[in-house]
Structures are given as C-alpha cells and as structure tokens.
Amino acid sequence: MASLVLRLLTVTIFLSAPAALAATLAAAVTPVVKSTTSYGVLSNPGLTRDSCSSSLWNNNVLWVCRDTEQLNSAGNPVLPLVVNTASYSSMPNAPSNPQPLSLTSPQGFGSPFYPLESDECPTSGACSDGTRWVGWPDTGPVVTFRGSGGNTNAYAFISRNHLSGLSQINTPSYSLYHLLSQSSGPMPSVSLAVSSFWSSSQIGYGSAASVVMNGYAYLYGATPDGKLALARAAQTGFLGALDDKSLYEYYVNGAWTRTAPSRTASNIALPNTSSAQGTIYWSPKWNSYVWIGGDGFPNANFFISTAPNPEGPWTAATRFYTGTVGNGSLGAYSTVAHPSLTDGTGNYVFITWTRTNKNSAGVEVYDQPLVRVDWQ
Ligand SMILES: *[C@@H]1O[C@H](CO)[C@@H](O)[C@H](O)[C@H]1NC(C)=O
Ligand SMILES: *[C@@H]1O[C@H](CO)[C@@H](O)[C@H](O)[C@H]1NC(C)=O
C-alpha cells in the first residue's frame, strides 16, 4: 500500500513537473540578444505590399500581406490595389550566408486572399461614395491541424474596417475565415466561415495574435485601451475547428468563463500587454510564452515580453532592437515576429517591419526588412 501511494505520488509529481517548471523558469526569463543578422528586404518580385505576417504551413511558410500592387518595368506601382494577398516561402538561409527571402507570387493577382464580403464593396473594397473597406490582416492564420501530405487546416479573424481616407468610420466586427490545404503546392482555399463572428460590441479575439498550445487555440484581441484580451477555444472539434462558440472560454477578471464579455469591460485587459502590432509564440528555449511587437508608427522599435501562461503574468516589455526607417511618408510600422521561420529550438527569431522608400522616380514603394535575432 505504502509503495503504491508512493508510486502514485511519483506519477503525480512527474506529470505536474513541466507546468511547475515552466512557471519557475519563465519567471526568470531575461531575453538577451547575442547577435542580429540582416537579410535585406523580403523579395516580392514584381509587387509592392505591406505588413506581411506568416504561419508555418506544413513544408512551407504561408505569408499574408496587406495592400498589394504590381510594379511596372520602371519599378512604379500600378493600380489596382488588392487589400490582401498571400504567398509561400521556404525557410531563410543560415546566418553565415544571409540572402533575401523570396515570397513566391501571390494566388493569381487580382482578387483578395481573404475575400471581401458582399457589403464591403467587393472586390476592391472601394465604394462609390469614396469610402473604402479593407481586410487587412494583423497576424498570420491560426493553424489548428497539420496532417501528412500537406493537409493543413487554419482560421483567420479579420476586422471589417470601413475607412474614409485613413480614418476608420465604424467600430468593426470581425469575420471568421477558413483556410484549407489538401496538398502541399497550391495556395490554400479560403472561404468566409462566419460573417461578424465577433460583433462590434465584442473583442476581436484572434485578430491580434494567437498561439495553439496545450489543446487550446489561445486567441488575443485588442481592447479599446490598447492592451490585449484573451479567449481560448478547445481543440476538440474536427481538425481543431474554431467556428463553434460552445468551445470558447474568455479570460475575465483573472478566470476563465463561458460568457463573452463586452469589449469595454474593465476587467479583461491583460496587465503589461500591448495591442500595438506584434506576435505571440511559445519558446521551448525559455519554457515561456513570448510577445514581440513594436511601439507603433512611425518607429521600428522592437520589444519583448514573456509569460509562463498565455494569460500571463506578462513581464514589462523591454526594447531589444531598433530598425532603420524608410525615407518615404511611412517611416515604419507592422513590427512583427515570424516564429514560423524556425528550427523549433527558440534560439533565434526572425522579425520584419514595413516602411516606404522613395524610388529613383520619387514614387513611394513598400519594403520589409528581415532580420534574424539570436538569443544568448
Ligand atoms: C508589469 O510590469 C511592471 C513593471 O513595469 C512590473 O512591476 C509588474 O510586476 C508587471 N506585472 C506583471 C503582472 O508581471
Ligand atoms: C530612399 O531609400 C531607398 C532605399 O534604401 C534608396 O534607394 C533611395 O535612394 C532613397 N531616396 C532618398 C531620396 O533618400
């Protein structure tokens, strides 16, 4: 009997050790940069586009970018403007031989990767009254299933932004898109799964950042006061489906609840988080969740924060890198990380930002520097 109790105790201790270890180790994480390596700018042959984010997609990396135009032979952008496009890339070279990473041309240029909805002035988003709907992704799709033979299942939460000039004239709701690859090679098929999955009075969970861990998809959205709020969806549906609200829980007042809060609830913002554009991932090196992001336009300042759990506690963010800004009107923005470009160790991470530069004709074109950051 005594030995059975002892065995049970041992088993219990063994099973709970990783979580306890994570909490202990993560509290002590102090990321320190060992070296940085410039990989030039992302290569988008024949295109100018901004704000590319990425997700690991079986043997490829899937990139989804915002506004995209083709370049003519003089290197000047030509209309039409497509609100989002997608590409694949391979993994970057080793830092001993850094080369620009090539994003292969988008899914047939012309229609958006995430289609605009019928009330969003499709297909360009430009309405006859001069306003514009944009489907600008802030983060890569949430991959919930990777199978053999290239099968990949994923979701994206896209805000329904209505603009007049660059000013937003609505409080957006957020639609859920479904991405599916049945084989490696062709671009995934994309369809609107649920229009306004999150209403305009709710947080756009999953639109700011996500991480799939421990049997859950953890989905972050911006709060009105510029922090992050968190929901999680149990990965128990078919291929980790995210379209079933009964699988969702919401982090409110320090506990998980089944009732979605209002976006203006005072007790949903996670302390020390920021909704400035960024990326969240799990680092095996630090046994810790990691946020990497910026402090917003027009800077290319990169900050890092860590937490033992997706809900926190998050450390105060510290600056670890400052990139060069462009000489056009948009100095720098969309400071994101690409944990998709990984060997799985967490020993390094790639970051990008977007800027505009004036070309030789004085016309502004986007570019996106790619930098590898190795940690001590
Ligand atoms: C947030 O950051 C402050 C430092 O600015 C720190 O004292 C505090 O412990 C952090 N909060 C959490 C929950 O880690
Ligand atoms: C702006 O930056 C681009 C890219 O570095 C460079 O080719 C161009 O000459 C610069 N233009 C001006 C006016 O500084």
Side-chain angles (χ1 to χ4, degrees):
M1 191 61 179
S3 81
L4 179 63
V5 170
L6 195 62
R7 264 217 328 271
L8 283 174
L9 269 177
T10 314
V11 167
T12 311
I13 289 163
F14 175 75
L15 284 178
S16 59
L21 199 62
T24 322
L25 289 181
V29 170
T30 309
V32 177
V33 174
K34 182 161 78 182
S35 60
T36 61
T37 309
S38 168
Y39 279 63
V41 298
L42 294 178
S43 166
N44 290 287
L47 299 176
T48 176
R49 54 183 174 174
D50 70 335
S51 305
C52 298
S53 47
S54 66
S55 296
L56 186 61
W57 200 263
N58 259 308
N59 304 321
N60 293 321
V61 175
L62 179 70
W63 297 75
V64 188
C65 311
R66 295 186 190 157
D67 285 343
T68 306
E69 282 177 279
Q70 291 177 301
L71 295 173
N72 64 17
S73 53
N76 295 328
V78 288
L79 293 169
L81 183 61
V82 178
V83 293
N84 62 65
T85 57
S87 288
Y88 281 136
S89 82
S90 56
M91 293 291 168
N93 287 12
S96 54
N97 178 29
Q99 297 293 327
L101 185 67
S102 214
L103 275 51
T104 55
S105 52
Q107 86 294 334
F109 184 85
S111 50
F113 181 66
Y114 300 125
L116 289 168
E117 299 177 54
S118 56
D119 62 349
E120 292 182 308
C121 303
T123 53
S124 69
C127 306
S128 52
D129 64 0
T131 62
R132 183 180 180 219
W133 288 89
V134 291
W136 287 339
D138 288 339
T139 193
V142 190
V143 176
T144 61
F145 177 81
R146 282 188 198 91
S148 56
N151 292 335
T152 309
N153 195 54
Y155 295 85
F157 299 84
I158 303 292
S159 68
R160 289 165 38 85
N161 283 344
H162 195 188
L163 305 186
S164 176
L166 276 177
S167 304
Q168 186 145 352
I169 54 175
N170 68 340
T171 302
S173 59
Y174 297 80
S175 290
L176 180 65
Y177 288 81
H178 180 214
L179 295 76
L180 183 66
S181 282
Q182 312 239 26
S183 62
S184 52
M187 280 285 142
S189 65
V190 183
S191 58
L192 178 68
V194 184
S195 179
S196 294
F197 186 77
W198 305 120
S199 77
S200 57
S201 62
Q202 295 178 311
I203 295 290
Y205 293 108
S207 64
S210 70
V211 58
V212 178
M213 280 294 286
N214 306 328
Y216 289 98
Y218 290 92
L219 306 165
Y220 298 84
T223 60
D225 62 347
K227 294 190 166 14
L228 294 173
L230 179 61
R232 67 180 184 189
Q235 290 287 278
T236 50
F238 180 62
L239 306 184
L242 291 180
D243 55 0
D244 178 357
K245 285 251 177 75
S246 75
L247 300 177
Y248 280 73
E249 292 170 278
Y250 309 88
Y251 200 66
V252 176
N253 207 16
W256 293 104
T257 166
R258 292 271 170 200
T259 309
S262 152
R263 66 191 283 274
T264 56
S266 61
N267 49 7
I268 57 173
L270 304 177
N272 283 346
T273 60
S274 165
S275 66
Q277 207 176 348
T279 309
I280 291 176
Y281 64 99
W282 165 257
S283 167
K285 175 184 174 69
W286 295 321
N287 240 321
S288 184
Y289 295 87
V290 178
W291 174 85
I292 287 177
D295 54 2
F297 178 82
N299 300 312
N301 292 326
F302 282 82
F303 290 80
I304 187 166
S305 170
T306 60
N309 304 296
E311 60 271 31
W314 288 93
T315 59
T318 56
R319 188 169 69 171
F320 68 92
Y321 186 80
T322 296
T324 54
V325 302
N327 57 35
S329 59
L330 303 178
Y333 60 104
S334 287
T335 44
V336 295
H338 301 276
S340 50
L341 305 179
T342 183
D343 63 357
T345 59
N347 289 339
Y348 62 87
V349 71
F350 280 88
I351 56 175
T352 58
W353 62 100
T354 295
R355 56 189 190 179
T356 57
N357 281 319
K358 291 187 172 128
N359 67 14
S360 51
V363 178
E364 296 206 12
V365 291
Y366 294 118
D367 72 14
Q368 297 174 70
L370 176 69
V371 168
R372 171 170 157 151
V373 179
D374 283 76
W375 307 108
Q376 264 174 22

PDB file of all heavy atoms in Angstrom, residues 147-176:
ATOM      1  N   GLY A 147      -1.524  17.810 -41.210  1.00  0.00           N
ATOM      2  CA  GLY A 147      -1.519  16.373 -41.448  1.00  0.00           C
ATOM      3  C   GLY A 147      -0.420  15.987 -42.417  1.00  0.00           C
ATOM      4  O   GLY A 147       0.413  16.800 -42.789  1.00  0.00           O
ATOM      5  N   SER A 148      -0.440  14.742 -42.809  1.00  0.00           N
ATOM      6  CA  SER A 148       0.551  14.302 -43.781  1.00  0.00           C
ATOM      7  C   SER A 148       0.092  14.747 -45.171  1.00  0.00           C
ATOM      8  O   SER A 148      -1.056  15.115 -45.371  1.00  0.00           O
ATOM      9  CB  SER A 148       0.686  12.789 -43.720  1.00  0.00           C
ATOM     10  OG  SER A 148      -0.592  12.216 -43.918  1.00  0.00           O
ATOM     11  N   GLY A 149       1.017  14.755 -46.114  1.00  0.00           N
ATOM     12  CA  GLY A 149       0.664  15.073 -47.493  1.00  0.00           C
ATOM     13  C   GLY A 149       0.256  16.515 -47.711  1.00  0.00           C
ATOM     14  O   GLY A 149      -0.372  16.840 -48.711  1.00  0.00           O
ATOM     15  N   GLY A 150       0.587  17.395 -46.753  1.00  0.00           N
ATOM     16  CA  GLY A 150       0.316  18.813 -46.965  1.00  0.00           C
ATOM     17  C   GLY A 150      -1.036  19.270 -46.459  1.00  0.00           C
ATOM     18  O   GLY A 150      -1.388  20.443 -46.600  1.00  0.00           O
ATOM     19  N   ASN A 151      -1.834  18.376 -45.885  1.00  0.00           N
ATOM     20  CA  ASN A 151      -3.136  18.797 -45.357  1.00  0.00           C
ATOM     21  C   ASN A 151      -2.932  19.776 -44.207  1.00  0.00           C
ATOM     22  O   ASN A 151      -2.246  19.457 -43.240  1.00  0.00           O
ATOM     23  CB  ASN A 151      -3.919  17.598 -44.813  1.00  0.00           C
ATOM     24  CG  ASN A 151      -4.330  16.660 -45.917  1.00  0.00           C
ATOM     25  OD1 ASN A 151      -4.450  17.071 -47.062  1.00  0.00           O
ATOM     26  ND2 ASN A 151      -4.535  15.398 -45.576  1.00  0.00           N
ATOM     27  N   THR A 152      -3.543  20.928 -44.325  1.00  0.00           N
ATOM     28  CA  THR A 152      -3.432  21.932 -43.263  1.00  0.00           C
ATOM     29  C   THR A 152      -4.768  22.637 -43.120  1.00  0.00           C
ATOM     30  O   THR A 152      -5.404  22.984 -44.113  1.00  0.00           O
ATOM     31  CB  THR A 152      -2.333  22.965 -43.599  1.00  0.00           C
ATOM     32  OG1 THR A 152      -1.138  22.256 -43.943  1.00  0.00           O
ATOM     33  CG2 THR A 152      -2.036  23.864 -42.415  1.00  0.00           C
ATOM     34  N   ASN A 153      -5.178  22.824 -41.872  1.00  0.00           N
ATOM     35  CA  ASN A 153      -6.457  23.479 -41.581  1.00  0.00           C
ATOM     36  C   ASN A 153      -6.162  24.702 -40.719  1.00  0.00           C
ATOM     37  O   ASN A 153      -5.402  24.613 -39.753  1.00  0.00           O
ATOM     38  CB  ASN A 153      -7.363  22.505 -40.820  1.00  0.00           C
ATOM     39  CG  ASN A 153      -8.805  22.949 -40.805  1.00  0.00           C
ATOM     40  OD1 ASN A 153      -9.377  23.206 -41.870  1.00  0.00           O
ATOM     41  ND2 ASN A 153      -9.398  23.039 -39.642  1.00  0.00           N
ATOM     42  N   ALA A 154      -6.763  25.825 -41.063  1.00  0.00           N
ATOM     43  CA  ALA A 154      -6.458  27.054 -40.322  1.00  0.00           C
ATOM     44  C   ALA A 154      -7.621  28.028 -40.406  1.00  0.00           C
ATOM     45  O   ALA A 154      -8.547  27.855 -41.206  1.00  0.00           O
ATOM     46  CB  ALA A 154      -5.191  27.703 -40.883  1.00  0.00           C
ATOM     47  N   TYR A 155      -7.539  29.047 -39.554  1.00  0.00           N
ATOM     48  CA  TYR A 155      -8.596  30.072 -39.464  1.00  0.00           C
ATOM     49  C   TYR A 155      -7.959  31.439 -39.347  1.00  0.00           C
ATOM     50  O   TYR A 155      -6.834  31.579 -38.870  1.00  0.00           O
ATOM     51  CB  TYR A 155      -9.480  29.817 -38.229  1.00  0.00           C
ATOM     52  CG  TYR A 155     -10.228  28.505 -38.361  1.00  0.00           C
ATOM     53  CD1 TYR A 155      -9.625  27.308 -37.989  1.00  0.00           C
ATOM     54  CD2 TYR A 155     -11.487  28.463 -38.926  1.00  0.00           C
ATOM     55  CE1 TYR A 155     -10.265  26.096 -38.167  1.00  0.00           C
ATOM     56  CE2 TYR A 155     -12.153  27.264 -39.100  1.00  0.00           C
ATOM     57  CZ  TYR A 155     -11.529  26.086 -38.722  1.00  0.00           C
ATOM     58  OH  TYR A 155     -12.166  24.887 -38.914  1.00  0.00           O
ATOM     59  N   ALA A 156      -8.716  32.457 -39.764  1.00  0.00           N
ATOM     60  CA  ALA A 156      -8.263  33.840 -39.588  1.00  0.00           C
ATOM     61  C   ALA A 156      -9.455  34.692 -39.173  1.00  0.00           C
ATOM     62  O   ALA A 156     -10.567  34.508 -39.667  1.00  0.00           O
ATOM     63  CB  ALA A 156      -7.651  34.366 -40.876  1.00  0.00           C
ATOM     64  N   PHE A 157      -9.188  35.602 -38.236  1.00  0.00           N
ATOM     65  CA  PHE A 157     -10.200  36.544 -37.743  1.00  0.00           C
ATOM     66  C   PHE A 157      -9.840  37.917 -38.322  1.00  0.00           C
ATOM     67  O   PHE A 157      -8.795  38.471 -37.968  1.00  0.00           O
ATOM     68  CB  PHE A 157     -10.182  36.593 -36.217  1.00  0.00           C
ATOM     69  CG  PHE A 157     -10.500  35.269 -35.566  1.00  0.00           C
ATOM     70  CD1 PHE A 157      -9.509  34.306 -35.383  1.00  0.00           C
ATOM     71  CD2 PHE A 157     -11.791  34.975 -35.142  1.00  0.00           C
ATOM     72  CE1 PHE A 157      -9.793  33.083 -34.786  1.00  0.00           C
ATOM     73  CE2 PHE A 157     -12.086  33.756 -34.542  1.00  0.00           C
ATOM     74  CZ  PHE A 157     -11.082  32.806 -34.368  1.00  0.00           C
ATOM     75  N   ILE A 158     -10.669  38.411 -39.201  1.00  0.00           N
ATOM     76  CA  ILE A 158     -10.326  39.625 -39.943  1.00  0.00           C
ATOM     77  C   ILE A 158     -11.322  40.731 -39.610  1.00  0.00           C
ATOM     78  O   ILE A 158     -12.538  40.532 -39.706  1.00  0.00           O
ATOM     79  CB  ILE A 158     -10.351  39.353 -41.473  1.00  0.00           C
ATOM     80  CG1 ILE A 158      -9.383  38.209 -41.836  1.00  0.00           C
ATOM     81  CG2 ILE A 158     -10.020  40.623 -42.257  1.00  0.00           C
ATOM     82  CD1 ILE A 158      -7.917  38.525 -41.650  1.00  0.00           C
ATOM     83  N   SER A 159     -10.783  41.894 -39.225  1.00  0.00           N
ATOM     84  CA  SER A 159     -11.677  43.002 -38.847  1.00  0.00           C
ATOM     85  C   SER A 159     -12.302  43.614 -40.099  1.00  0.00           C
ATOM     86  O   SER A 159     -11.665  43.708 -41.152  1.00  0.00           O
ATOM     87  CB  SER A 159     -10.922  44.049 -38.034  1.00  0.00           C
ATOM     88  OG  SER A 159      -9.977  44.701 -38.835  1.00  0.00           O
ATOM     89  N   ARG A 160     -13.562  43.982 -39.965  1.00  0.00           N
ATOM     90  CA  ARG A 160     -14.310  44.593 -41.070  1.00  0.00           C
ATOM     91  C   ARG A 160     -14.174  46.117 -40.921  1.00  0.00           C
ATOM     92  O   ARG A 160     -15.034  46.779 -40.357  1.00  0.00           O
ATOM     93  CB  ARG A 160     -15.775  44.144 -41.017  1.00  0.00           C
ATOM     94  CG  ARG A 160     -15.945  42.662 -41.392  1.00  0.00           C
ATOM     95  CD  ARG A 160     -17.306  42.114 -40.995  1.00  0.00           C
ATOM     96  NE  ARG A 160     -18.383  43.074 -41.178  1.00  0.00           N
ATOM     97  CZ  ARG A 160     -19.046  43.296 -42.326  1.00  0.00           C
ATOM     98  NH1 ARG A 160     -18.748  42.592 -43.408  1.00  0.00           N
ATOM     99  NH2 ARG A 160     -19.984  44.190 -42.383  1.00  0.00           N
ATOM    100  N   ASN A 161     -13.040  46.624 -41.447  1.00  0.00           N
ATOM    101  CA  ASN A 161     -12.715  48.048 -41.283  1.00  0.00           C
ATOM    102  C   ASN A 161     -13.271  48.862 -42.433  1.00  0.00           C
ATOM    103  O   ASN A 161     -13.009  48.558 -43.600  1.00  0.00           O
ATOM    104  CB  ASN A 161     -11.191  48.240 -41.260  1.00  0.00           C
ATOM    105  CG  ASN A 161     -10.589  47.835 -39.943  1.00  0.00           C
ATOM    106  OD1 ASN A 161     -11.285  47.690 -38.941  1.00  0.00           O
ATOM    107  ND2 ASN A 161      -9.282  47.642 -39.942  1.00  0.00           N
ATOM    108  N   HIS A 162     -13.981  49.920 -42.109  1.00  0.00           N
ATOM    109  CA  HIS A 162     -14.518  50.835 -43.114  1.00  0.00           C
ATOM    110  C   HIS A 162     -13.805  52.173 -42.939  1.00  0.00           C
ATOM    111  O   HIS A 162     -13.857  52.765 -41.865  1.00  0.00           O
ATOM    112  CB  HIS A 162     -16.034  50.981 -42.903  1.00  0.00           C
ATOM    113  CG  HIS A 162     -16.744  51.601 -44.054  1.00  0.00           C
ATOM    114  ND1 HIS A 162     -18.063  51.975 -44.009  1.00  0.00           N
ATOM    115  CD2 HIS A 162     -16.328  51.899 -45.308  1.00  0.00           C
ATOM    116  CE1 HIS A 162     -18.427  52.478 -45.182  1.00  0.00           C
ATOM    117  NE2 HIS A 162     -17.395  52.444 -45.983  1.00  0.00           N
ATOM    118  N   LEU A 163     -13.130  52.623 -43.989  1.00  0.00           N
ATOM    119  CA  LEU A 163     -12.280  53.807 -43.890  1.00  0.00           C
ATOM    120  C   LEU A 163     -12.793  54.935 -44.772  1.00  0.00           C
ATOM    121  O   LEU A 163     -13.339  54.698 -45.854  1.00  0.00           O
ATOM    122  CB  LEU A 163     -10.840  53.481 -44.357  1.00  0.00           C
ATOM    123  CG  LEU A 163     -10.086  52.330 -43.713  1.00  0.00           C
ATOM    124  CD1 LEU A 163      -8.651  52.315 -44.234  1.00  0.00           C
ATOM    125  CD2 LEU A 163     -10.091  52.435 -42.199  1.00  0.00           C
ATOM    126  N   SER A 164     -12.554  56.141 -44.289  1.00  0.00           N
ATOM    127  CA  SER A 164     -12.678  57.330 -45.120  1.00  0.00           C
ATOM    128  C   SER A 164     -11.302  57.964 -45.095  1.00  0.00           C
ATOM    129  O   SER A 164     -10.846  58.411 -44.041  1.00  0.00           O
ATOM    130  CB  SER A 164     -13.740  58.261 -44.537  1.00  0.00           C
ATOM    131  OG  SER A 164     -13.776  59.446 -45.307  1.00  0.00           O
ATOM    132  N   GLY A 165     -10.618  57.963 -46.229  1.00  0.00           N
ATOM    133  CA  GLY A 165      -9.192  58.288 -46.202  1.00  0.00           C
ATOM    134  C   GLY A 165      -8.502  57.225 -45.368  1.00  0.00           C
ATOM    135  O   GLY A 165      -8.696  56.031 -45.614  1.00  0.00           O
ATOM    136  N   LEU A 166      -7.740  57.640 -44.356  1.00  0.00           N
ATOM    137  CA  LEU A 166      -7.139  56.632 -43.475  1.00  0.00           C
ATOM    138  C   LEU A 166      -7.856  56.586 -42.126  1.00  0.00           C
ATOM    139  O   LEU A 166      -7.413  55.926 -41.194  1.00  0.00           O
ATOM    140  CB  LEU A 166      -5.645  56.909 -43.283  1.00  0.00           C
ATOM    141  CG  LEU A 166      -4.745  56.341 -44.388  1.00  0.00           C
ATOM    142  CD1 LEU A 166      -3.291  56.731 -44.165  1.00  0.00           C
ATOM    143  CD2 LEU A 166      -4.872  54.817 -44.525  1.00  0.00           C
ATOM    144  N   SER A 167      -8.990  57.300 -41.996  1.00  0.00           N
ATOM    145  CA  SER A 167      -9.732  57.305 -40.726  1.00  0.00           C
ATOM    146  C   SER A 167     -10.795  56.217 -40.734  1.00  0.00           C
ATOM    147  O   SER A 167     -11.537  56.071 -41.707  1.00  0.00           O
ATOM    148  CB  SER A 167     -10.425  58.647 -40.516  1.00  0.00           C
ATOM    149  OG  SER A 167      -9.499  59.682 -40.585  1.00  0.00           O
ATOM    150  N   GLN A 168     -10.858  55.524 -39.630  1.00  0.00           N
ATOM    151  CA  GLN A 168     -11.858  54.472 -39.501  1.00  0.00           C
ATOM    152  C   GLN A 168     -13.205  55.104 -39.156  1.00  0.00           C
ATOM    153  O   GLN A 168     -13.305  55.922 -38.242  1.00  0.00           O
ATOM    154  CB  GLN A 168     -11.424  53.530 -38.371  1.00  0.00           C
ATOM    155  CG  GLN A 168     -12.320  52.340 -38.256  1.00  0.00           C
ATOM    156  CD  GLN A 168     -11.555  51.103 -37.856  1.00  0.00           C
ATOM    157  OE1 GLN A 168     -10.332  51.115 -37.801  1.00  0.00           O
ATOM    158  NE2 GLN A 168     -12.273  50.050 -37.598  1.00  0.00           N
ATOM    159  N   ILE A 169     -14.252  54.726 -39.886  1.00  0.00           N
ATOM    160  CA  ILE A 169     -15.565  55.336 -39.646  1.00  0.00           C
ATOM    161  C   ILE A 169     -16.558  54.345 -39.053  1.00  0.00           C
ATOM    162  O   ILE A 169     -17.735  54.652 -38.923  1.00  0.00           O
ATOM    163  CB  ILE A 169     -16.132  55.965 -40.943  1.00  0.00           C
ATOM    164  CG1 ILE A 169     -16.179  54.955 -42.097  1.00  0.00           C
ATOM    165  CG2 ILE A 169     -15.326  57.191 -41.337  1.00  0.00           C
ATOM    166  CD1 ILE A 169     -16.837  55.498 -43.349  1.00  0.00           C
ATOM    167  N   ASN A 170     -16.098  53.149 -38.685  1.00  0.00           N
ATOM    168  CA  ASN A 170     -17.000  52.213 -37.995  1.00  0.00           C
ATOM    169  C   ASN A 170     -16.280  51.606 -36.791  1.00  0.00           C
ATOM    170  O   ASN A 170     -15.060  51.715 -36.664  1.00  0.00           O
ATOM    171  CB  ASN A 170     -17.467  51.100 -38.952  1.00  0.00           C
ATOM    172  CG  ASN A 170     -16.336  50.169 -39.362  1.00  0.00           C
ATOM    173  OD1 ASN A 170     -15.151  50.504 -39.269  1.00  0.00           O
ATOM    174  ND2 ASN A 170     -16.699  48.984 -39.826  1.00  0.00           N
ATOM    175  N   THR A 171     -17.037  50.994 -35.902  1.00  0.00           N
ATOM    176  CA  THR A 171     -16.457  50.110 -34.890  1.00  0.00           C
ATOM    177  C   THR A 171     -16.563  48.720 -35.495  1.00  0.00           C
ATOM    178  O   THR A 171     -17.670  48.221 -35.690  1.00  0.00           O
ATOM    179  CB  THR A 171     -17.244  50.181 -33.572  1.00  0.00           C
ATOM    180  OG1 THR A 171     -17.240  51.539 -33.129  1.00  0.00           O
ATOM    181  CG2 THR A 171     -16.609  49.310 -32.507  1.00  0.00           C
ATOM    182  N   PRO A 172     -15.435  48.104 -35.837  1.00  0.00           N
ATOM    183  CA  PRO A 172     -15.540  46.893 -36.657  1.00  0.00           C
ATOM    184  C   PRO A 172     -16.063  45.678 -35.899  1.00  0.00           C
ATOM    185  O   PRO A 172     -15.817  45.522 -34.703  1.00  0.00           O
ATOM    186  CB  PRO A 172     -14.103  46.655 -37.116  1.00  0.00           C
ATOM    187  CG  PRO A 172     -13.261  47.303 -36.078  1.00  0.00           C
ATOM    188  CD  PRO A 172     -14.038  48.472 -35.555  1.00  0.00           C
ATOM    189  N   SER A 173     -16.782  44.845 -36.631  1.00  0.00           N
ATOM    190  CA  SER A 173     -16.975  43.467 -36.201  1.00  0.00           C
ATOM    191  C   SER A 173     -15.858  42.651 -36.862  1.00  0.00           C
ATOM    192  O   SER A 173     -15.052  43.192 -37.627  1.00  0.00           O
ATOM    193  CB  SER A 173     -18.359  42.968 -36.614  1.00  0.00           C
ATOM    194  OG  SER A 173     -18.506  43.049 -38.020  1.00  0.00           O
ATOM    195  N   TYR A 174     -15.810  41.356 -36.555  1.00  0.00           N
ATOM    196  CA  TYR A 174     -14.692  40.519 -37.028  1.00  0.00           C
ATOM    197  C   TYR A 174     -15.250  39.245 -37.636  1.00  0.00           C
ATOM    198  O   TYR A 174     -16.024  38.530 -36.981  1.00  0.00           O
ATOM    199  CB  TYR A 174     -13.751  40.174 -35.866  1.00  0.00           C
ATOM    200  CG  TYR A 174     -13.091  41.378 -35.267  1.00  0.00           C
ATOM    201  CD1 TYR A 174     -13.767  42.196 -34.363  1.00  0.00           C
ATOM    202  CD2 TYR A 174     -11.794  41.725 -35.625  1.00  0.00           C
ATOM    203  CE1 TYR A 174     -13.164  43.323 -33.826  1.00  0.00           C
ATOM    204  CE2 TYR A 174     -11.181  42.857 -35.083  1.00  0.00           C
ATOM    205  CZ  TYR A 174     -11.877  43.648 -34.189  1.00  0.00           C
ATOM    206  OH  TYR A 174     -11.282  44.769 -33.660  1.00  0.00           O
ATOM    207  N   SER A 175     -14.872  38.965 -38.874  1.00  0.00           N
ATOM    208  CA  SER A 175     -15.365  37.765 -39.552  1.00  0.00           C
ATOM    209  C   SER A 175     -14.344  36.643 -39.464  1.00  0.00           C
ATOM    210  O   SER A 175     -13.134  36.888 -39.403  1.00  0.00           O
ATOM    211  CB  SER A 175     -15.691  38.085 -41.004  1.00  0.00           C
ATOM    212  OG  SER A 175     -16.836  38.916 -41.048  1.00  0.00           O
ATOM    213  N   LEU A 176     -14.863  35.431 -39.468  1.00  0.00           N
ATOM    214  CA  LEU A 176     -14.013  34.236 -39.384  1.00  0.00           C
ATOM    215  C   LEU A 176     -13.864  33.628 -40.776  1.00  0.00           C
ATOM    216  O   LEU A 176     -14.867  33.333 -41.443  1.00  0.00           O
ATOM    217  CB  LEU A 176     -14.649  33.218 -38.441  1.00  0.00           C
ATOM    218  CG  LEU A 176     -13.876  31.909 -38.247  1.00  0.00           C
ATOM    219  CD1 LEU A 176     -12.540  32.156 -37.549  1.00  0.00           C
ATOM    220  CD2 LEU A 176     -14.713  30.905 -37.450  1.00  0.00           C
TER     221      LEU A 176
END
